[in-house]
């Protein structure tokens, strides 16, 4: 099952039932797994044999869904996590510890920014945030002796900037570290960062991958291409013996293809336990079967809404990279050939109160702290997610008091546009 197109892999990837086995992946609702001898079990604990023994570390249902996402991204190994936040945390904590440093794009999800700049800083990991449009000089000077990774988002939430993945990968590799890309908004349907040099991909599967507001989840995928063994002093966790597993060395035992994900499972899941529930992994896998169909429709609706808004006299500006003339249109043509996503952000002419009034008048679009759902939803950042910020602080975060973030769902685009039209009327 290796040469199918991505649409086919959405449905058939990750799980191949044998004669008489269920068409759908089984939900293995069990904390533990039974063995005949303690010797069998000991081999699992020493990572000498592969198998399941406790669902805090690994579960077959999760692994079917992870294998599908791995296939879609073109990776070598993948794991699910309980949330996108857990995926971002694990992706870095797996290769960086107290005293280390990470270079990160300043255009990232607010939750990730908080995780990095507050919580992980308290753990002793320092982040330098750079504008994705910084000069080569600024980029180079962000790196330090102890830098362990570069982190960025394909399409940033909520800034909607598009990442120049090749540029970021080149800088990361020139400094001997991997590029980690959060590919949540584009999904592998619209962009596969490994094809442009990224080394590790993370997802909040809560967004388009689920797409029905049914579950919170995350995923980490490894390309298997970053050669940790070239920098054994920089990545001792992968290149020197792990005493908590009787001295195995991950890169030696599992190769470049398996070392990173095996270490994250064996150490981080074991100790921190941010595992996806098998029920949620089942729902995720079910949703992934239609991801390619849904993404196409989200993009069609996004473009139709962006065009309508950009021609509306009450609208000051629209951000949507598939729109001709958008600041990121050229990058989108290179990295997002089939479209970007369904999220459009726009600023209205008038005041903060006018923006709130328009939100109140919307009937089809629901107000929700969410994006990437089958239902169209929207948010006024200045009165919700960014409520604590002054107008000055808002502007530094790339948002104005008149910005509305509008996530186009799967409804008929004429209905979505009619709703916006009536809300924008006097
Ligand atoms: C939502 C989101 C996250 C966090 O994911 P959760 O599943 O909510 O923990 C991370 N990155 C991006 C781009 C997101 O949109």
């Amino acid at each position: 099952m290796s040469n199918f197109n991505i649409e086919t892999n959405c449905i058939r990837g990750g799980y191949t039932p044998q004669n008489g086995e269920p068409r759908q992946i089984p939900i293995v609702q069990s904390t533990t797994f039974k063995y005949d001898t303690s010797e069998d079990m000991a081999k699992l604990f020493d990572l000498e044999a592969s198998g399941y023994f406790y669902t805090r570390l690994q579960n077959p249902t999760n692994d079917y869904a992870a294998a599908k996402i791995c296939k879609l991204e073109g990776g070598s190994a993948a794991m699910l996590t309980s949330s996108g936040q857990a995926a971002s945390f694990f992706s870095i904590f797996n290769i960086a510890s107290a005293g280390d440093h990470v270079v990160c794009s300043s255009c990232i999800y607010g939750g990730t920014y908080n995780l990095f700049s507050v919580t992980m800083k308290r753990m002793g990991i320092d982040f330098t945030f750079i504008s994705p449009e910084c000069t080569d000089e600024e980029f180079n000077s962000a790196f330090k002796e102890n830098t362990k990774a570069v982190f960025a988002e394909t399409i940033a939430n909520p800034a909607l900037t598009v990442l120049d993945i090749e540029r970021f990968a080149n800088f990361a590799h020139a400094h001997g570290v991997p590029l980690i890309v959060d590919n949540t908004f584009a999904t592998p349907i619209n962009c596969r960062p490994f094809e442009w040099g990224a080394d590790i991909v993370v997802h909040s599967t809560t967004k388009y991958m689920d797409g029905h507001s049914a579950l919170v989840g995350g995923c980490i995928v490894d390309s298997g291409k970053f050669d940790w063994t070239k920098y054994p002093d920089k990545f001792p966790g992968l290149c020197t013996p792990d005493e908590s597993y009787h001295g195995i060395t991950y890169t030696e035992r599992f190769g470049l293809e398996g070392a990173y994900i095996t270490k994250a499972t064996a150490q981080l899941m074991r100790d921190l336990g941010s595992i996806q529930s098998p029920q949620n992994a089942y729902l995720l896998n079910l949703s992934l079967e239609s991801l390619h169909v849904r993404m196409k429709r989200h993009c069609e609706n996004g473009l139709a809404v962006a065009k309508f808004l950009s021609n509306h006299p009450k609208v000051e500006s629209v951000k949507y990279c598939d729109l001709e003339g958008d600041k990121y249109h050229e990058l989108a043509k290179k990295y997002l050939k089939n479209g970007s996503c369904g999220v459009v952000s726009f600023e209205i002419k008038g005041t903060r109160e006018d923006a709130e009034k328009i939100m109140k008048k919307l009937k089809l679009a629901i107000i929700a702290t969410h994006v990437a759902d089958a239902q169209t939803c929207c948010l006024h950042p200045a009165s919700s997610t960014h409520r604590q910020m002054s107008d000055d602080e808002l502007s530094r975060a790339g948002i104005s008091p008149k910005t509305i973030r509008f996530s186009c769902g799967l409804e008929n685009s004429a209905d979505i546009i009619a709703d916006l039209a009536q809300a924008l009327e006097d």
Side-chain angles (χ1 to χ4, degrees):
M1 299 274 276
S2 60
N3 294 322
F4 289 133
N5 290 294
I6 196 161
E7 294 82 358
T8 307
N9 285 328
C10 279
I11 297 148
R12 306 297 285 270
Y15 169 69
T16 310
Q18 303 303 305
N19 195 33
E21 288 183 348
R23 141 78 175 92
Q24 260 307 348
I25 61 169
I27 304 174
V28 181
Q29 191 69 35
S30 183
T31 55
T32 195
F33 301 80
K34 176 244 170 206
Y35 288 92
D36 288 340
T37 70
S38 4
E39 286 80 26
D40 289 341
M41 184 82 89
K43 282 187 190 139
L44 298 176
F45 271 88
D46 282 352
L47 301 178
E48 273 177 20
S50 66
Y52 299 94
F53 57 93
Y54 194 54
T55 288
R56 179 173 10 95
L57 286 91
Q58 260 186 305
N59 175 282
T61 313
N62 293 12
D63 286 351
Y64 290 134
K68 180 173 296 210
I69 296 171
C70 188
K71 186 102 193 166
L72 298 179
E73 287 286 4
S76 67
M79 68 196 288
L80 297 191
T81 56
S82 54
S83 67
Q85 288 296 94
S88 299
F89 173 56
F90 276 25
S91 74
I92 288 175
F93 202 58
N94 201 33
I95 48 173
S97 31
D100 286 339
H101 172 260
V102 174
V103 175
C104 185
S105 164
S106 58
C107 290
I108 52 168
Y109 174 65
T112 310
Y113 181 76
N114 205 64
L115 167 68
F116 291 173
S117 65
V118 179
T119 301
M120 289 184 78
K121 192 174 165 55
R122 278 173 48 210
M123 297 172 161
I125 301 175
D126 255 323
F127 289 77
T128 297
F129 295 93
I130 54 158
S131 158
E133 274 121 60
C134 69
T135 64
D136 288 1
E137 235 177 7
E138 286 166 336
F139 210 141
N140 276 323
S141 65
F143 288 88
K144 301 179 182 179
E145 223 21 41
N146 56 347
T147 301
K148 297 299 165 82
V150 175
F151 189 100
E153 292 179 10
T154 314
I155 304 170
N157 175 15
L160 300 182
T161 55
V162 178
L163 183 69
D164 190 344
I165 305 173
E166 277 188 325
R167 177 172 190 244
F168 265 61
N170 287 340
F171 273 101
H173 297 159
H175 291 271
V177 299
L179 171 63
I180 305 173
V181 170
D182 181 336
N183 197 33
T184 297
F185 267 26
T187 82
I189 302 303
N190 287 340
C191 180
R192 288 173 297 281
F194 295 155
E195 292 174 0
W196 304 100
D199 303 286
I200 291 149
V201 159
V202 296
H203 282 282
S204 166
T205 59
T206 315
K207 310 294 163 53
Y208 288 114
M209 283 196 172
D210 164 33
H212 298 81
S213 287
L215 65 92
V216 172
C219 183
I220 310 174
V221 190
D222 180 17
S223 68
K225 294 203 184 105
F226 190 83
D227 191 353
W228 314 102
T229 63
K230 267 169 77 181
Y231 315 97
D233 296 338
K234 207 179 275 189
F235 303 107
L238 285 158
C239 303
T240 55
D242 178 356
E243 294 315 326
S244 71
Y245 280 105
H246 304 294
I248 67 151
T249 298
Y250 290 99
T251 44
E252 274 173 21
R253 179 71 66 82
F254 302 100
L256 294 184
E257 298 77 24
Y260 176 89
I261 292 293
T262 306
K263 177 179 181 288
T265 303
Q267 291 180 344
L268 301 183
M269 272 303 178
R270 178 196 60 188
D271 297 347
L272 300 167
S274 310
I275 195 84
Q276 176 89 103
S277 81
Q279 288 279 349
N280 278 355
Y282 172 84
L283 289 171
L284 171 62
N285 190 72
L286 196 60
S287 283
L288 287 169
E289 291 192 0
S290 63
L291 182 66
H292 59 297
V293 184
R294 293 186 287 107
M295 282 314 286
K296 193 161 178 281
R297 182 62 167 265
H298 280 296
C299 291
E300 285 166 8
N301 286 355
L303 187 58
V305 163
K307 280 183 177 160
F308 165 78
L309 289 170
S310 62
N311 290 318
H312 199 285
K314 291 262 185 66
V315 174
E316 192 156 286
S317 63
V318 179
K319 277 190 199 165
Y320 190 68
C321 67
D322 296 334
L323 212 53
E324 203 89 39
D326 186 87
K327 189 174 170 196
Y328 296 95
H329 192 57
E330 288 308 310
L331 283 173
K333 277 203 280 192
K334 174 173 174 178
Y335 292 111
L336 301 157
K337 284 196 181 68
N338 301 323
S340 57
C341 64
V343 184
V344 179
S345 112
F346 64 101
E347 243 182 77
I348 56 130
K349 288 179 185 156
T351 62
R352 172 195 288 255
E353 289 69 35
D354 292 327
E356 281 168 359
K357 229 182 276 166
I358 286 165
M359 296 276 297
K360 226 176 253 168
K361 280 163 80 182
L362 287 166
K363 295 190 175 97
L364 179 72
I366 63 163
I367 297 176
T369 312
H370 196 39
V371 285
D373 186 24
Q375 285 195 10
T376 294
C377 52
C378 63
L379 187 81
H380 180 223
S383 59
S384 56
T385 49
H386 296 66
R387 191 176 175 75
Q388 317 307 336
M389 290 187 177
S390 67
D391 286 6
D392 252 10
E393 287 172 319
L394 280 178
S395 122
R396 257 176 276 140
I399 295 161
S400 107
K402 300 175 286 177
T403 301
I404 294 174
R405 187 182 71 180
F406 198 85
S407 170
C408 299
L410 300 176
E411 302 94 337
N412 187 311
S413 63
D415 292 334
I416 304 173
I417 288 170
D419 190 32
L420 275 167
Q422 63 82 22
L424 286 163
E425 260 171 39
D426 284 323

